Amino acid sequence: MTTFDDILEEAGKFGRCQKRIFILLCMVSMPWAGVYVGIVFQGFTPDHWCRDPAVVERREACGWNLAESRRLTVPLDNSSGQQSSCEQYEVDWNATELTCDKQELEDLSRTPTNSCKHGWEYDYEGRRSFVTEFDLVCSNAWLVDMFQATLNVGFLVGSIAIGYLADRFGRKMSFLISNLLNGVAGILVAVAPNYISLLVFRTLYGFGVKGGWVAGYVLITEIVGVEFRRTVGVIYQMFFSIGILILPLLAYYITDWRWLQVIITIPYILFLSYYWFIPESPRWLLSQNQNSKAVKITEDIAKENKTTLSKNIETLKDDNADSTTASFMDLIRTPNMRKHTFILSYNWFTSAVVYQGLIMRLGILGGNVYIDFLISGLVEFPAAFLILFTIERIGRRLPFATANFVAGVSCFITAFIPDSMFWFKTAVACIGRLGITMTFEMVVFVNTELYPTFVRNLGVSVCSTLCDVGGIVAPFLLYRLAVIWLELPLIIFGFLAFLAGGLVLLLPETRGVPLPDTIDDIEFPEKAKEKIGLKNQQMVNLLPNYQNTASNKDRATV
């Protein structure tokens, strides 16, 4: 029997066909950036204060500026010395003789105050967010957190559901279904009449977005040679960073959050055209005993790559078939499996909390959010190159742990740098962003290397659910703690990342170690080295060039 990896030796492991599909699927990562962290622009909270209709009317009649009318409306906050955003003077201006003479404006410092009764005014220079549209400030400010939390609830449920559909009905079909849902839900978010419906549609949006992204990730890694899987996986994620750079440019020119939502959604509608441009995964077809379709697609790949297949293609079989049934208990039953599950789950959680937290923090710092967002996005690109440069030279464990330590230390230091040292503070924060980006990208493939074949997909799914839990927690952790002290979230982020780095050091090094097939390979890793030698010997005569190419195969990451 010949495996699909063996046939790729002849068809082309990363030829013209795979490169075309790879480029198409990388496009999927870019709009996901807008979905994932678009809250920075769609949900920004500008300077605001209580609205008094009588004062607004007098301002328009007298030509006062905002500062002059605001002085008549809101008192000073005793704790900060700044004008209050949530209280107003308890004065009936309609019953007073208010004139346009500024010199006659009375001293209101001893006037009783109460909470805002007629909504708020915003100093946002024509820009609209869902915060200004639905008045999500003061006592309703916590509802802004729900915008990101409901998205991550959708991620959590959708990644499991779409993952099941991908295994049941195919990678291509689940990818297309996800994008259809993304297009419909994204437009519904843009036209939501109230905030409750907005949250419902946002949850549906998250349901499809992550699942479709993962389906694309799996599809591209399943049709390239094993030595290219890690590279295409990292670059696939790097296109998310390109989306991060495009997002502030779009937000700068598109000032209404609803139209920005439409622009972010349009690519998902266009991705439906991939029905004619990408194939189903031959590996999945083989696992479903649809060998004839798998052979046809493989022959098409070879034809586009301008290569010729041997007769061995007629003996294609599923190289990942395993009759063992996976269960959650397999992940925690034995000591090493239990350790891997705990450490990896915690790293998924920490990566999501710190990564989302650092990005969303840009929206509450008060600087130029567009420039800050662009600069922080640029530092993500070195992360991919550092990973590709270090993992085969140094290994996985040390770069993984170091990235966590760098992120943690940077958060601690940034919290205590005074605002007067703006550029130094920004530089240190960007280093932290680089570290957590490396961590986020590394946990994906390290997770796959620490579970045996029959439970690998389940293991990754279970551990990565903590990523979505972290995404649910992150906005509450950031926005609520920042009310107490702006830098307090950084202290929490630093602690989480530093602990994650220490735990990573307890994991085994997987560089140069074959992917485990059974739980015994995890509990007794020395046996894995013996197995790989036996497997290679059995495959030597299957293909004429196998002996020369087998030594060059890298370990699969998916």
Side-chain angles (χ1 to χ4, degrees), residues 21 118 185:
I21 298 169
H118 305 286

Side-chain angles (χ1 to χ4, degrees), residues 321-453:
D322 197 312
S323 59
T324 307
T325 301
S327 72
F328 174 75
M329 291 304 299
D330 292 319
L331 303 179
I332 59 175
R333 183 179 293 114
T334 56
N336 283 344
M337 290 286 287
R338 188 161 53 245
K339 179 179 71 174
H340 295 176
T341 299
F342 171 75
I343 295 175
L344 291 169
S345 296
Y346 179 78
N347 268 272
W348 276 104
F349 174 82
T350 299
S351 296
V353 169
V354 179
Y355 183 85
Q356 289 194 53
L358 290 179
I359 291 181
M360 291 188 294
R361 182 175 177 270
L362 296 173
I364 63 174
L365 293 181
N368 189 318
V369 66
Y370 304 100
I371 294 178
D372 293 345
F373 199 93
L374 191 65
I375 293 173
S376 66
L378 286 172
V379 303
E380 290 196 5
F381 285 93
F385 296 109
L386 285 172
I387 291 172
L388 294 174
F389 181 78
T390 58
I391 56 177
E392 293 303 332
R393 293 171 174 82
I394 300 174
R396 278 75 158 145
R397 183 174 57 182
L398 188 58
F400 194 6
T402 301
N404 271 303
F405 289 139
V406 168
V409 171
S410 297
C411 287
F412 282 133
I413 295 176
T414 302
F416 295 101
I417 298 176
D419 292 337
S420 58
M421 303 175 67
F422 173 75
W423 286 109
F424 179 58
K425 187 167 188 171
T426 300
V428 176
C430 285
I431 293 174
R433 176 77 173 274
L434 172 65
I436 201 61
T437 300
M438 283 188 65
T439 297
F440 220 152
E441 293 181 358
M442 289 195 71
V443 71
V444 177
F445 66 81
V446 170
N447 202 157
T448 65
E449 295 180 340
L450 290 174
Y451 283 122
T453 301

Side-chain angles (χ1 to χ4, degrees), residues 155-166 174 207:
F155 284 168
L156 177 63
V157 179
S159 59
I160 296 174
I162 300 298
Y164 170 78
L165 292 176
S174 62
F207 185 92

Side-chain angles (χ1 to χ4, degrees), residues 307-324:
T307 59
T308 304
L309 297 177
S310 71
K311 63 181 181 181
N312 289 307
I313 192 171
E314 302 301 331
T315 63
L316 261 178
K317 73 176 185 68
D318 178 18
D319 55 338
N320 290 316
D322 197 312
S323 59
T324 307

Side-chain angles (χ1 to χ4, degrees), residues 156-402:
L156 177 63
V157 179
S159 59
I160 296 174
I162 300 298
Y164 170 78
L165 292 176
D167 286 338
R168 181 70 178 82
F169 300 105
R171 295 13 175 165
K172 179 178 177 178
M173 185 58 64
S174 62
F175 173 80
L176 294 173
I177 291 174
S178 296
N179 283 289
L180 177 61
L181 177 60
N182 296 341
V184 174
I187 297 300
L188 288 175
V189 169
V191 300
N194 54 62
Y195 196 60
I196 297 299
S197 62
L198 175 63
L199 295 181
V200 173
F201 297 148
R202 180 78 167 166
T203 304
L204 294 175
Y205 200 30
F207 185 92
V209 168
K210 184 179 179 181
W213 184 86
V214 172
Y217 181 95
V218 172
L219 176 57
I220 187 57
T221 54
E222 287 186 339
I223 63 173
V224 300
V226 290
E227 60 265 51
F228 292 98
R229 291 182 191 171
R230 187 178 302 108
T231 301
V232 300
V234 171
I235 295 176
Y236 184 81
Q237 295 177 75
M238 191 175 71
F239 271 75
F240 179 91
S241 300
I242 296 177
I244 291 287
L245 297 182
I246 295 174
L247 181 60
L249 300 178
L250 291 175
Y252 182 80
Y253 290 103
I254 303 173
T255 59
D256 190 304
W257 73 274
R258 292 183 182 272
W259 282 109
L260 181 59
Q261 174 65 36
V262 171
I263 296 301
I264 292 171
T265 302
I266 286 176
Y268 289 111
I269 299 174
L270 297 178
F271 292 151
L272 293 174
S273 65
Y274 283 15
Y275 175 84
W276 292 279
F277 300 112
I278 63 174
E280 180 55 86
S281 167
R283 295 180 190 274
W284 177 81
L285 290 170
L286 290 170
S287 71
Q288 303 298 306
N289 295 317
Q290 300 182 39
N291 291 33
S292 60
K293 292 182 180 179
V295 168
K296 177 62 169 62
I297 292 174
T298 306
E299 290 175 338
D300 291 341
I301 291 174
K303 182 178 180 180
E304 187 171 346
N305 289 342
K306 298 181 179 180
T307 59
T308 304
L309 297 177
S310 71
K311 63 181 181 181
N312 289 307
I313 192 171
E314 302 301 331
T315 63
L316 261 178
K317 73 176 185 68
D318 178 18
D319 55 338
N320 290 316
D322 197 312
S323 59
T324 307
T325 301
S327 72
F328 174 75
M329 291 304 299
D330 292 319
L331 303 179
I332 59 175
R333 183 179 293 114
T334 56
N336 283 344
M337 290 286 287
R338 188 161 53 245
K339 179 179 71 174
H340 295 176
T341 299
F342 171 75
I343 295 175
L344 291 169
S345 296
Y346 179 78
N347 268 272
W348 276 104
F349 174 82
T350 299
S351 296
V353 169
V354 179
Y355 183 85
Q356 289 194 53
L358 290 179
I359 291 181
M360 291 188 294
R361 182 175 177 270
L362 296 173
I364 63 174
L365 293 181
N368 189 318
V369 66
Y370 304 100
I371 294 178
D372 293 345
F373 199 93
L374 191 65
I375 293 173
S376 66
L378 286 172
V379 303
E380 290 196 5
F381 285 93
F385 296 109
L386 285 172
I387 291 172
L388 294 174
F389 181 78
T390 58
I391 56 177
E392 293 303 332
R393 293 171 174 82
I394 300 174
R396 278 75 158 145
R397 183 174 57 182
L398 188 58
F400 194 6
T402 301

Side-chain angles (χ1 to χ4, degrees), residues 19-32:
K19 290 175 183 175
R20 174 181 60 81
I21 298 169
F22 175 56
I23 292 172
L24 289 174
L25 290 176
C26 280
M27 298 299 105
V28 178
S29 291
M30 292 195 289
W32 191 29

